[in-house]
Amino acid sequence: MRLDKFLKVSRIIKRRSVAKEIADKGRIQINGKVAKSSSNVSVDDELIISFGNKTLTVKVTELLETTKKNDAELMYDIISEDYKTDYRQPFSD
């Protein structure tokens, strides 16, 4: 399955056009190699996705052509979710 389609169907990224744009900017790696939007994704691949402040690492567990919202999370396992600056924590004085 193409990378951009996997990201959309799994709902990691909401739109395929956005997934394509992020991949083509070199912000997604498959098994440690920079991937294009047309790169193939297989079961057991590890994806590292760099958003602005967040880096998400997931392992592909299943490939489905279409999913319902509740089944989308079954397509991957989150390995880590790292933030450059964690704005979710309250500021300490």
Side-chain angles (χ1 to χ4, degrees):
M1 176 181 286
R2 285 175 54 110
L3 175 61
D4 55 351
K5 183 171 182 179
F6 173 80
L7 293 171
K8 178 199 173 289
V9 172
S10 66
R11 290 178 166 79
I12 293 173
I13 297 177
K14 301 291 185 214
R15 284 176 274 156
R16 192 168 178 174
S17 59
V18 175
K20 179 182 181 338
E21 183 180 331
I22 290 172
D24 290 343
K25 287 184 178 179
R27 293 169 47 189
I28 301 177
Q29 296 179 23
I30 299 176
N31 298 324
K33 296 181 181 177
V34 176
K36 294 184 179 181
S37 60
S38 61
S39 299
N40 285 322
V41 176
S42 304
V43 174
D44 292 330
D45 281 351
E46 184 176 287
L47 306 179
I48 301 172
I49 306 158
S50 298
F51 297 99
N53 187 43
K54 176 170 94 170
T55 301
L56 180 66
T57 305
V58 299
K59 184 172 184 173
V60 179
T61 57
E62 191 174 359
L63 297 176
L64 303 170
E65 290 298 316
T66 60
T67 60
K68 295 187 188 272
K69 187 176 182 179
N70 295 337
D71 297 335
E73 292 180 359
L74 301 175
M75 295 180 67
Y76 62 92
D77 289 329
I78 296 176
I79 296 172
S80 69
E81 190 172 1
D82 300 315
Y83 293 85
K84 291 178 186 170
T85 304
D86 196 349
Y87 296 107
R88 301 173 302 156
Q89 301 297 325
F91 292 104
S92 58
D93 293 332

